[in-house]
């Protein structure tokens, strides 16, 4: 398929997701990405926000590690990383 799907995960840190009041389960998100990949969606993308209020360096590292694992496993093809409250908001992207 040539369809791009953007999955709104926004963080790979459970603590950050909790502070964002975003009801995302990272294990469920992973299973969803796996299912979509098996169904033939070959262009899966997601946006992640770095530096939310209350984030620690550990939260940021956890988020990067989660994203890297999904990219390395071929589950995410395009990732946008945005820094919260900056002029560059939306300017940092990585394509696998």
């Amino acid at each position: 398929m040539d369809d791009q799907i953007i999955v709104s995960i926004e963080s790979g840190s459970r603590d950050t997701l909790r502070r964002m009041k975003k009801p995302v389960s990272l294990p469920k998100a992973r299973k969803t990405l796996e299912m979509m990949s098996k169904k033939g969606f070959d262009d899966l993308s997601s946006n992640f926000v770095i530096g939310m209020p209350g984030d620690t360096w550990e939260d940021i590292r956890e988020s990067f590690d989660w994203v890297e694992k999904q990219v390395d496993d071929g589950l995410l093809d395009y990732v946008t990383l945005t820094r919260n409250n900056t002029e560059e908001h939306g300017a940092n992207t990585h394509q696998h």
Side-chain angles (χ1 to χ4, degrees):
M1 287 184 187
D2 287 338
D3 298 321
Q4 181 183 43
I5 303 292
I6 300 172
V7 182
S8 182
I9 300 169
E10 297 189 15
S11 181
S13 164
R14 288 183 176 112
D15 288 340
T16 299
L17 289 168
R18 181 182 45 75
R19 282 191 301 279
M20 293 170 79
K21 295 181 173 48
K22 186 150 178 80
V24 170
S25 160
L26 293 172
K28 266 188 172 176
R30 165 104 185 165
K31 286 182 192 241
T32 299
L33 292 171
E34 289 171 344
M35 180 205 55
M36 293 171 78
S37 180
K38 286 178 186 173
K39 294 283 185 186
F41 290 95
D42 55 2
D43 194 358
L44 298 173
S45 305
S46 191
N47 302 316
F48 291 83
V49 180
I50 302 300
M52 289 297 295
D55 267 0
T56 64
W57 283 112
E58 184 59 33
D59 295 323
I60 293 168
R61 279 189 213 101
E62 185 179 344
S63 197
F64 273 101
D65 289 347
W66 194 89
V67 169
E68 185 175 45
K69 172 79 172 137
Q70 309 326 298
V71 170
D72 288 349
D73 290 349
L75 297 177
L76 283 174
D77 300 297
Y78 189 79
V79 176
T80 301
L81 300 171
T82 51
R83 291 182 286 169
N84 191 39
N85 295 326
T86 64
E87 289 181 20
E88 296 87 11
H89 190 80
N92 302 309
T93 61
H94 169 76
Q95 186 168 5
H96 180 71

